[in-house]
Amino acid sequence: MTAIVELKNITKTYADKIVLNDVSLQVFDGEILALLGPNGSGKSTLLRLLAFLEEPTNGELSFHGIIVGAKNAERTRLQSSLVFQQTTMFNTSVYNNVAYGLKIRKIPKAIRDEEVKNALRLVKLEGFENRPAKKLSGGEQQRVAIARALVLKTKLLLLDEPTANLDPKNVGILEEVIATVNREMKTTIVIATHNMFEARKLPTRIALVNDGRITEVGSPAEIFGKLSKNLASFAAVVNTFRGIASATSEGTSIVELGNSVQVEVTAQAQGEVSVFVNPQDIILSKSLVESSARNVFKGRITEISDLGSLVKLKVDVGKTFTVQITKRSFNEMKLNLDAEVYVAFKASSVQVL
């Protein structure tokens, strides 16, 4: 894969504060990369560097293999668009907002009209051209801001917390827009987010950012399939519990989670630990089933969420476990709230953090 942007040993300081510390990262052509981390971790500063709006204090920033510095930063800046978390609309029509960058670049009006129309179609705001931009909802304004970036047809689109504080409907539309723009326009997209669930759905790769450093980089399956301490430290991850571990004579460990719930794990552990069980590794049944699973609990369904082809359930067994099953299985078992069920998972499915 070809790197469109590369950061090598980047440090960024403001006054005496180190915001980014020895960061190295490649952004590959055509990918969706998520910068996932808590607020204040340095994600927004990374985006500003990737947009060539700021220079690193130390280190090397390059675009298509060419080092970016004071002499070529302004020219390189035209190759990227950054949509900020706090959307700012000009006090004029949607059309004028979206066409602003094209007008500055002296693009003929006939072409501007066509580009604005296409961009509004992509963000599902067809026919909004003459509406006052400032009177739109927050989600609609965010989509206008993305359209304003899309008309410039830059190689790199940077989005800072694009779905923050939006209702579920607008979140769904924006996620579809991002996926469509990446697929149809082949635009490379970098998203800064603290939302773990957004990071699971959209990107090709994830870079975990914490305290000014990139701690891990990998595919969503790699990052979430084996939950790390870096992710668990800031993400509200389901099925993550604290407990006291005691080693057994069989080479496993028993972790006491409280409320008479204990899980067996294959790792040798002693003392206070955190454990994680992937919802997809849990087997759900209405009756006790013989299996090799060392962890079996009886409980009741307390919450049901429809995810389309999948159903997410919360089951209280003394501790609340989140379970994910197909909608077909859900219907066949005729499950409902307060139904009595069993959850089971292998000791090898429990990760000790």
Side-chain angles (χ1 to χ4, degrees):
M1 289 187 287
T2 304
I4 185 170
V5 184
E6 185 169 6
L7 293 81
K8 290 183 179 179
N9 307 114
I10 294 288
T11 298
K12 182 65 179 178
T13 61
Y14 295 103
D16 294 329
K17 184 178 179 181
I18 300 174
V19 180
L20 294 175
N21 191 354
D22 195 28
V23 169
S24 294
L25 178 69
Q26 289 182 313
V27 181
F28 295 122
D29 193 15
E31 76 170 338
I32 300 178
L33 173 68
L35 304 175
L36 176 61
N39 293 330
S41 60
K43 304 188 303 295
S44 295
T45 302
L46 262 173
L47 283 187
R48 292 181 67 83
L49 286 169
L50 291 171
F52 313 107
L53 294 173
E54 296 190 19
E55 293 183 13
T57 306
N58 290 300
E60 186 177 286
L61 177 63
S62 61
F63 182 76
H64 280 305
I66 299 173
I67 296 173
V68 179
K71 292 183 178 180
N72 62 350
E74 186 173 348
R75 184 174 69 254
T76 309
R77 198 174 297 142
L78 298 175
Q79 301 297 321
S80 67
S81 303
L82 172 57
V83 179
F84 296 95
Q85 180 179 352
Q86 298 297 326
T87 302
T88 301
M89 292 287 108
F90 301 124
N91 191 22
T92 181
S93 67
V94 168
Y95 174 90
N96 287 336
N97 270 271
V98 177
Y100 177 77
L102 296 175
K103 192 172 183 179
I104 292 296
R105 287 165 172 75
K106 303 187 185 305
I107 302 299
K109 187 176 184 308
I111 298 176
R112 291 204 307 266
D113 290 349
E114 188 65 24
E115 295 297 342
V116 170
K117 181 179 178 181
N118 290 337
L120 290 177
R121 175 186 58 79
L122 276 171
V123 300
K124 302 186 184 301
L125 289 176
E126 301 99 323
F128 276 58
E129 285 88 343
N130 296 321
R131 296 196 189 186
K134 288 202 168 187
K135 291 189 177 181
L136 300 180
S137 70
E140 289 168 343
Q141 287 190 23
Q142 187 74 314
R143 284 147 63 191
V144 170
I146 291 177
R148 189 164 57 194
L150 292 179
V151 295
L152 301 177
K153 294 185 176 179
T154 58
K155 296 182 180 295
L156 188 60
L157 176 62
L158 308 164
L159 305 173
D160 194 1
E161 300 282 0
T163 63
N165 304 317
L166 298 184
D167 60 87
K169 178 183 176 182
N170 274 297
V171 168
I173 292 173
L174 272 175
E175 288 176 348
E176 186 179 341
V177 166
I178 292 167
T180 300
V181 167
N182 176 253
R183 183 179 63 252
E184 294 186 3
M185 299 178 66
K186 310 301 181 187
T187 303
T188 304
I189 301 174
V190 180
I191 305 169
T193 182
H194 67 272
N195 187 325
M196 184 189 79
F197 301 101
E198 182 174 86
R200 291 185 78 139
K201 288 187 285 185
L202 288 172
T204 314
R205 288 191 306 145
I206 297 170
L208 295 184
V209 187
N210 207 359
D211 198 24
R213 294 179 179 272
I214 291 180
T215 56
E216 288 182 62
V217 180
S219 69
E222 290 169 336
I223 296 294
F224 292 105
K226 185 176 182 180
L227 186 71
S228 68
K229 289 182 180 179
N230 296 313
L231 180 57
S233 66
F234 69 84
V237 182
V238 297
N239 298 346
T240 303
F241 308 99
R242 295 289 292 173
I244 304 298
S246 301
T248 71
S249 58
E250 298 175 343
T252 62
S253 300
I254 300 295
V255 183
E256 296 280 353
L257 303 182
N259 292 340
S260 301
V261 178
Q262 56 180 224
V263 297
E264 185 169 356
V265 304
T266 54
Q268 285 278 284
Q270 196 74 28
E272 191 173 8
V273 297
S274 291
V275 296
F276 166 70
V277 185
N278 192 317
Q280 298 177 2
D281 290 338
I282 299 177
I283 299 169
L284 187 79
S285 61
K286 291 191 73 175
S287 58
L288 191 58
V289 178
E290 286 191 21
S291 74
S292 61
R294 302 298 294 267
N295 298 291
V296 182
F297 305 97
K298 185 179 181 179
R300 292 185 179 276
I301 296 174
T302 60
E303 188 176 312
I304 301 172
S305 300
D306 189 340
L307 303 179
S309 62
L310 299 172
V311 177
K312 183 173 70 175
L313 307 169
K314 290 188 177 180
V315 181
D316 185 358
V317 303
K319 292 291 183 178
T320 299
F321 282 86
T322 297
V323 185
Q324 189 170 289
I325 62 174
T326 65
K327 183 172 285 185
R328 179 178 177 181
S329 295
F330 177 82
N331 291 332
E332 287 177 350
M333 286 191 281
K334 299 179 180 178
L335 298 174
N336 48 49
L337 281 175
D338 208 36
E340 207 169 72
V341 292
Y342 290 86
V343 297
F345 49 90
K346 296 180 178 180
S348 60
S349 295
V350 185
Q351 297 176 35
V352 177
L353 308 177

